[in-house]
Amino acid sequence: MIRAFVAIALPQAVRIELQILGIGLGLPDPVPPENLHLTLAFLGERPEPVLEDVHAGLAQLRAPAFDLALAGLDMFGGARPRTVHAGVRDAAPLRHLQAKVASVARAAGIDIDGRRFTPHVTLERLRPGSPDAPRLAAAVAARSSFALPAFRVEEFQLYSSRLRAGGSVYEELAAYPLG
């Protein structure tokens, strides 16, 4: 079984800016810069043959390259926040790509979460009942106008994710060009 997801890798300059933002927010345990990405579909734990079917479908997927801009900060979880994340300026091509990726996953027999796709980049995963939550909520609100210049998305990736004591380790399994 392989834990996997489909995502857009972020350019190094964007990851550095997000790392600097995290320092400014005082994130207690930020996502390491090398792990920052924008998830298109979480596939969960899957046997290799299923992931091979996903890979074959993703390799056939056709979508145009597009520009993407990160903008805004928020927290998921309401009164009990679970994450701090950077948002994405509304991008129809991103939503189009995500819908195609989800369709490929469903065709391979994977039940993709039916919630509305909310594109974001997770900066911090909070522990339940984190004492930092109120302070972080104030810091996030103070920087809600955060924005970075757009970058070009010319490919997306299939990753494996291994859970370790010190955090997840991601490995790119395949890349798929856009355009």
Side-chain angles (χ1 to χ4, degrees):
M1 298 287 273
I2 299 171
R3 188 172 191 256
F5 62 95
V6 180
I8 294 171
L10 302 177
Q12 182 176 359
V14 171
R15 292 191 319 254
I16 290 169
E17 289 293 331
L18 292 174
Q19 184 179 25
I20 292 167
L21 174 66
I23 291 167
L25 289 170
L27 298 178
D29 190 23
V31 172
E34 64 273 13
N35 283 3
L36 293 169
H37 64 275
L38 192 154
T39 301
L40 297 170
F42 179 70
L43 305 176
E45 297 266 347
R46 303 292 167 193
E48 271 189 61
V50 171
L51 290 181
E52 288 170 4
D53 290 345
V54 170
H55 168 66
L58 294 175
Q60 297 301 313
L61 190 151
R62 297 293 170 253
F66 57 93
D67 291 333
L68 184 67
L70 301 182
L73 294 177
D74 206 349
M75 299 172 83
F76 285 133
R80 295 185 181 152
R82 298 179 315 271
T83 65
V84 175
H85 65 270
V88 174
R89 275 203 195 105
D90 191 40
L94 172 64
R95 292 184 185 285
H96 177 74
L97 174 62
Q98 190 277 334
K100 285 187 165 201
V101 167
S103 180
V104 166
R106 286 186 192 102
I110 298 173
D111 184 25
I112 296 295
D113 186 350
R115 290 181 290 183
R116 185 175 67 88
F117 176 59
T118 304
H120 66 280
V121 176
T122 300
L123 305 176
E124 168 91 32
R125 287 178 184 82
L126 302 172
R127 290 185 174 88
S130 171
D132 285 320
R135 180 191 61 75
L136 285 173
V140 165
R143 291 171 180 81
S144 63
S145 62
F146 160 80
L148 289 177
F151 60 92
R152 192 81 177 151
V153 177
E154 296 180 331
E155 67 180 10
F156 65 99
Q157 292 77 18
L158 173 63
Y159 288 95
S160 69
S161 172
R162 291 187 314 276
L163 301 175
R164 303 288 167 121
S168 297
V169 176
Y170 303 149
E171 178 184 352
E172 183 180 306
L173 301 175
Y176 310 96
L178 296 171

